[in-house]
Amino acid sequence: RGAPTPEETPAAAADPKECAARLEAAGRLLEAVQRLCLVPRPTFRDALFFPHASALERLLALLRRAKFTIDVCVYCVTEERLVAALREKAAAGVAVRIVSDEDQAFNKGAAIFKTAAFAYTVVDEPLHEGANGRKAEGEREKRMHHKFCVVDHRILATGSFNWTGAASSRNCENILVSSEPKLVSAYSAEFERLHAAFSRSNPVSTAAAATKLQAALRGRAARLPPAMGRAQSSQGAAEEKVAAALSQLLAQAPSGRLSLGACRALLQRLNLRPVQARWLLHTATEECCELMRRRGRRRGAAAEMAALLSSLGSLAATLESDLLMPPSAAAATLFFPSVAAREELCGVLATARHTLDVCVFTLSDRRIADTVLDAHKRGAAVRLITDDVTAMNDGSLVFELAEA
């Protein structure tokens, strides 16, 4: 309600310890609101659709941004420009790891054995073979069918895009790019899970690739810790710089409230990342409390506290508008094979009330097809785009849906 007048200010209110305690409580409240109601705003977002010349260039530009790590998990790798980009980053000291499909690694044009020369490359476990050299009775074909990449544990690229010439120049494919921490964390965990499982028994290891793989492993072991060390040291230096700038700015606050413009200028100058927003507010609260303690007991302490509190509000408002956002109510990350993931996908489809647009390579899952049909029966306008060849395959449910 603004700064109290001298007549309204009791002696206790001018106590710097009391003022600092109030500021600290206000800061904790703001931090709690941000933690419960807001998430970091993605600093990097894009949607790539193929075939399009600029789409591949934007994917290459993403790989070239890497400073520390590139984790690639794709079904098939043949596109030479993407392989060349990975090779260049590996030569520059970036730790590159690749997970791919075992069958695809031996296809004509596959680049997996080339990548073993500079990246720690593993493939999924082959099918268990029977006595006749064929897959064991009752065992169904399986694939490492993911198509995603994580750069520096900060940027995710995921979608239908295989790293092949056909995918970049002929096929209808897509990639969603995001730096949203929750998504990046989920995909990083999936990569680590697969990489650990396949590394135990199935690194790329034909006679031709074994020597290259060993050299790549030695090089990666030598360069990964320094790279991550650089990341940690640069982060510490950045936070010291931010804290110093914040202290200098808040020192002016007792003489008048900091404007939203001044707060925004500070954020732009420091180039803060969204994940640092809560840390910044916590640091600002501590600095305000320290300012109050240093000013000692005097009649203007309450007015100065009000100015500092108002400045904290300006800073919090700027953080919320520029670096944070409300969490998405429908955000979810699903990995297959998983019965639970399948049910959650059907649950999302079941929420359709007005429209349901489906664009998939093939549709043969009865549970999913029935969920789409149910949406149609409820009155939702359902549209389906699929591949003409897979639509004719045994088990395809496309024509059944078309008849409905």
Side-chain angles (χ1 to χ4, degrees), residues 232-301:
Q232 293 171 356
S233 63
S234 63
Q235 174 69 15
E239 291 188 348
E240 289 179 6
K241 177 183 176 183
V242 170
L246 186 62
S247 175
Q248 183 179 3
L249 186 66
L250 288 174
Q252 307 166 16
S255 59
R257 172 184 173 178
L258 291 180
S259 66
L260 292 175
C263 294
R264 182 163 285 112
L266 173 71
L267 298 186
Q268 292 174 349
R269 186 170 73 252
L270 296 174
N271 193 28
L272 287 176
R273 294 187 291 117
V275 293
Q276 293 177 290
R278 292 168 188 157
W279 168 83
L280 180 68
L281 184 59
H282 178 75
T283 303
T285 301
E286 290 184 337
E287 181 62 26
C288 286
C289 293
E290 183 59 29
L291 281 171
M292 285 306 306
R293 294 188 186 100
R294 288 202 303 261
R295 292 186 179 275
R297 182 186 295 274
R298 56 188 177 191
R299 292 184 64 83

Side-chain angles (χ1 to χ4, degrees), residues 131-358:
N132 58 0
R134 298 179 180 178
K135 66 181 182 181
E137 183 178 357
E139 184 168 23
R140 305 187 70 175
E141 187 177 53
K142 67 181 180 68
R143 291 282 182 262
M144 201 306 296
H145 214 241
H146 285 318
K147 294 107 176 173
F148 70 83
C149 171
V150 179
V151 175
D152 286 340
H153 297 285
R154 289 178 57 185
I155 303 177
L156 165 71
T158 183
S160 67
F161 181 79
N162 263 317
W163 288 27
T164 66
S168 63
S169 62
R170 296 196 301 274
N171 296 349
C172 294
E173 309 280 2
N174 71 86
I175 295 178
L176 177 67
V177 182
S178 175
S179 61
E180 185 173 343
K182 184 177 180 180
L183 291 178
V184 175
S185 177
Y187 276 84
S188 291
E190 175 68 359
F191 182 91
E192 295 295 344
R193 183 184 72 82
L194 293 177
H195 190 270
F198 300 160
S199 294
R200 285 194 295 269
S201 57
N202 225 27
V204 174
S205 57
T206 64
T211 302
K212 295 179 180 179
L213 180 58
Q214 290 172 1
L217 283 170
R218 286 195 297 270
R220 178 177 177 271
R223 66 176 175 263
L224 181 57
M228 297 311 293
R230 289 198 301 273
Q232 293 171 356
S233 63
S234 63
Q235 174 69 15
E239 291 188 348
E240 289 179 6
K241 177 183 176 183
V242 170
L246 186 62
S247 175
Q248 183 179 3
L249 186 66
L250 288 174
Q252 307 166 16
S255 59
R257 172 184 173 178
L258 291 180
S259 66
L260 292 175
C263 294
R264 182 163 285 112
L266 173 71
L267 298 186
Q268 292 174 349
R269 186 170 73 252
L270 296 174
N271 193 28
L272 287 176
R273 294 187 291 117
V275 293
Q276 293 177 290
R278 292 168 188 157
W279 168 83
L280 180 68
L281 184 59
H282 178 75
T283 303
T285 301
E286 290 184 337
E287 181 62 26
C288 286
C289 293
E290 183 59 29
L291 281 171
M292 285 306 306
R293 294 188 186 100
R294 288 202 303 261
R295 292 186 179 275
R297 182 186 295 274
R298 56 188 177 191
R299 292 184 64 83
E304 291 179 357
M305 184 193 74
L308 285 170
L309 186 58
S310 182
S311 297
L312 271 180
S314 296
L315 184 60
T318 306
L319 291 173
E320 291 168 12
S321 64
D322 291 13
L323 299 182
L324 302 173
M325 66 179 187
S328 173
T333 304
L334 309 179
F335 294 103
F336 297 83
S338 166
V339 174
R342 182 183 183 223
E343 288 305 308
E344 189 165 351
L345 173 59
C346 290
V348 172
L349 299 175
T351 64
R353 293 292 178 267
H354 307 291
T355 63
L356 179 57
D357 293 335
V358 181

